[in-house]
Amino acid sequence: MCRSAGGVTALWTSSALAASMQGQASGDFTVNGVAFDSREIGPGDLFLALKGEHSDGHLFVDQAFAAGAAGAIVSEPVDGPHILVSDTTVALNLLAKASRDRTASKIIGVTGSVGKTGTKDALFAALDRCSLGHAHRSVKSYNNHVGVPLSLSRMAKSADYGIFEMGMNHAGELAELTQLVRPDVAVITTIGPAHIGNFVHGEEGIADAKAEIFEGLTADGTAIIPFDNPHYQRLKAAAGRYCQNIVSFGFGVDADVRAIDVVPAPQGGSLVTAKIRDKSLCYTIAEPGKHWVSNSLAILAAVDAAGGDLACAGLALAELGGIEGRGKRHRISLADGGIFQLIDESYNANPVSMQATLQQMALTDPAGKKIAILGAMGELGDGSRAFHEALAKDIIGAKLSSVILVGDDMRHTVSKLQQALDHNLEISHVDNASEALTEVAKKISDGDILLVKGSNYLGLGSVVSSLVSGEY
């Protein structure tokens, strides 16, 4: 819903929808939300009947209306309130553009090889706090050619801030998305070998593709880039073609936003003293790991560039909870009365995030054993073997008692671990998530800590769900 002088107003009216989409309204109606999945429709929502390669949303229009949809966007006439358009996918993009055109809010775009979703959600927490509930964000990982325009279409005209995650696995994708978002502030968290198999020029190609986010910056926009990354100068040069305001963040002494001091927090996480250009801030980060310290510096740089309150941002960082599939922690009871801790990193994995997560595991000191279920890393191309072999060093460094490696590419990691002599590590190799669950059920006991991390295609989230529900 949107704020108005009289209280609240609808997100979209049928006349505004028809005008933005160049469509024809069947009659007058208003909507308070937008969705393209009929299973996510709630009372008062707008249903977008998108056509894909394997499905057609028009088959679910009746289901959407039964769930309470107030209207639908369709390319075929239907019973019920609707906007008739020639192409519903084009209509979604037009609606996103109209949403961006009508708002005066500060817009922040976030991309990077690692940390996009966590950074986006933390930025939302910081800016929602200082705007007293008037910030908007893309939910889940809605960061592609459908998720980004959908997230824009859901933004209230009266929002003070909008934070949008933008992803890519091929060159040219971000160039399209950033023209829709038109960020006032564009953040790149880091550059690493995620999706490197899709880039002929390796990490430099990834850096160039991520830098496409700067192409959509508004006239007085700000680019925020990682100072400590090997591709910093490349990113800086790319940003300089589209804006004059470039802010670096990191641990180096010449970074514009940098960590001056970092110490472990008593309850986990980190206590940080940071310099934000001509200001300083002491704050706590609830999430553990050096990578989260780096993320927090990018967040503070973005909040400052967007005119937000840095003190509010510091408080928000102290209260962050883990995200499902991206660091959320669970305390799980065992049948015999014991308790173990599970770290859910099951959503995705690449060499950078694997290394950061395992380095954090090395600092963990549970009462029991340290166990990890690690899934293969996808989209690494010809370098897949080398990346999986290199993972062995980080696994040994994490001082695990046991590791369960999942997927065909992990055979390279197994081979390297078996060649190494400087560890007392129990190694298992399984083909899939179901076998990993069976294996870990034999090993887990009271006081243990279990890490689950791997590329999403392996479905390791099912292992987490089974363990959390006790169905194993």
Side-chain angles (χ1 to χ4, degrees):
M1 302 288 278
C2 307
R3 289 176 292 166
S4 69
V8 294
T9 188
L11 178 64
W12 293 101
T13 64
S14 56
S15 59
L17 289 169
S20 67
M21 297 177 169
Q22 302 169 18
Q24 182 177 351
S26 64
D28 292 334
F29 60 90
T30 61
V31 299
N32 301 320
V34 184
F36 63 84
D37 188 333
S38 60
R39 295 166 296 185
E40 296 181 357
I41 288 289
D45 283 349
L46 176 71
F47 176 61
L48 282 156
L50 299 180
K51 291 186 177 182
E53 292 182 12
H54 306 292
S55 64
D56 183 349
H58 292 82
L59 299 174
F60 303 96
V61 171
D62 290 343
Q63 183 176 326
F65 280 129
I73 306 301
V74 293
S75 57
E76 306 164 8
V78 298
D79 293 330
H82 65 272
I83 308 292
L84 186 63
V85 298
S86 58
D87 185 309
T88 53
T89 299
V90 171
L92 172 59
N93 280 276
L94 290 173
L95 182 60
K97 182 178 184 301
S99 182
R100 180 64 181 91
D101 287 344
R102 73 178 185 172
T103 186
S105 62
K106 284 288 185 181
I107 302 296
I108 302 173
V110 180
T111 193
S113 298
V114 182
K116 294 185 295 295
T117 302
T119 298
K120 176 260 299 180
D121 286 343
L123 268 169
F124 169 78
L127 294 170
D128 200 52
R129 189 181 190 118
C130 73
S131 66
L132 303 179
H134 298 299
H136 173 80
R137 62 174 160 174
S138 49
V139 298
K140 302 180 182 177
S141 288
Y142 280 5
N143 62 17
N144 63 8
H145 65 286
V146 174
V148 170
L150 178 69
S151 298
L152 275 165
S153 73
R154 291 172 164 176
M155 182 171 60
K157 178 181 179 180
S158 56
D160 292 331
Y161 300 97
I163 307 99
F164 299 92
E165 178 182 344
M166 288 181 270
M168 65 91 212
N169 53 28
H170 289 86
E173 291 177 279
L174 272 178
E176 295 181 13
L177 296 178
T178 194
Q179 294 300 337
L180 278 178
V181 175
R182 300 201 329 269
D184 298 296
V185 181
V187 180
I188 294 181
T189 58
T190 191
I191 301 297
H195 313 296
I196 197 168
N198 299 330
F199 292 87
V200 175
H201 299 294
E203 281 195 26
E204 288 188 348
I206 294 172
D208 292 341
K210 293 294 185 184
E212 290 171 11
I213 193 173
F214 304 135
E215 297 176 19
L217 276 168
T218 52
D220 58 348
T222 300
I224 296 175
I225 55 178
F227 181 81
D228 305 311
N229 192 269
H231 306 285
Y232 167 70
Q233 291 295 342
R234 194 177 190 91
L235 295 175
K236 183 177 180 181
R241 292 193 285 271
Y242 300 97
C243 70
Q244 294 182 337
N245 304 317
I246 301 174
V247 178
S248 62
F249 68 92
F251 299 90
V253 294
D254 292 325
D256 299 311
V257 177
R258 65 184 177 93
I260 298 172
D261 188 43
V262 181
V263 297
Q267 302 302 317
S270 303
L271 299 172
V272 183
T273 302
K275 174 182 174 291
I276 302 102
R277 295 201 260 194
D278 59 345
K279 299 177 279 288
S280 63
L281 182 71
C282 297
Y283 60 98
T284 299
I285 308 170
E287 295 296 308
K290 185 178 180 180
H291 59 296
W292 258 107
V293 177
S294 179
N295 289 346
S296 76
L297 298 172
I299 290 158
L300 294 176
V303 168
D304 187 50
D309 188 309
L310 289 171
C312 280
L315 293 173
L317 287 166
E319 296 174 358
L320 286 178
I323 306 168
E324 296 284 355
R326 293 181 173 87
K328 186 166 184 177
R329 295 180 176 233
H330 303 268
R331 284 174 56 82
I332 300 175
S333 298
L334 293 161
D336 62 5
I339 293 175
F340 72 94
Q341 186 178 55
L342 185 150
I343 304 173
D344 177 14
E345 289 274 2
S346 61
Y347 183 78
N348 221 336
N350 61 51
V352 176
S353 65
M354 275 286 201
Q355 183 181 57
T357 305
L358 288 168
Q359 286 176 349
Q360 183 58 35
M361 278 292 281
L363 302 175
T364 304
D365 186 22
K369 304 184 297 296
K370 289 196 286 188
I371 304 171
I373 298 175
L374 302 178
M377 302 175 287
E379 296 187 319
L380 296 178
D382 293 339
S384 182
R385 176 171 182 165
F387 282 119
H388 282 90
E389 288 180 340
L391 186 60
K393 180 180 178 181
D394 295 315
I395 291 172
I396 294 170
K399 302 174 185 176
L400 303 172
S401 298
S402 178
V403 62
I404 301 166
L405 301 169
V406 188
D408 185 58
D409 280 333
M410 279 297 192
R411 71 185 186 279
H412 304 303
T413 311
V414 172
S415 178
K416 275 292 181 182
L417 287 171
Q418 290 173 341
Q419 292 172 26
L421 301 175
D422 55 342
H423 66 78
N424 296 306
L425 177 64
E426 182 184 4
I427 306 164
S428 304
H429 183 217
V430 299
D431 291 330
N432 53 53
S434 177
E435 293 178 6
L437 177 62
T438 300
E439 191 68 21
V440 78
K442 302 173 187 175
K443 304 177 185 297
I444 204 77
S445 58
D446 182 42
D448 291 353
I449 186 167
L450 170 66
L451 167 68
V452 181
K453 186 171 181 62
S455 287
N456 196 35
Y457 77 89
L458 289 166
L460 294 183
S462 64
V463 175
V464 174
S465 298
S466 295
L467 292 170
V468 171
S469 66
E471 298 176 357
Y472 63 96

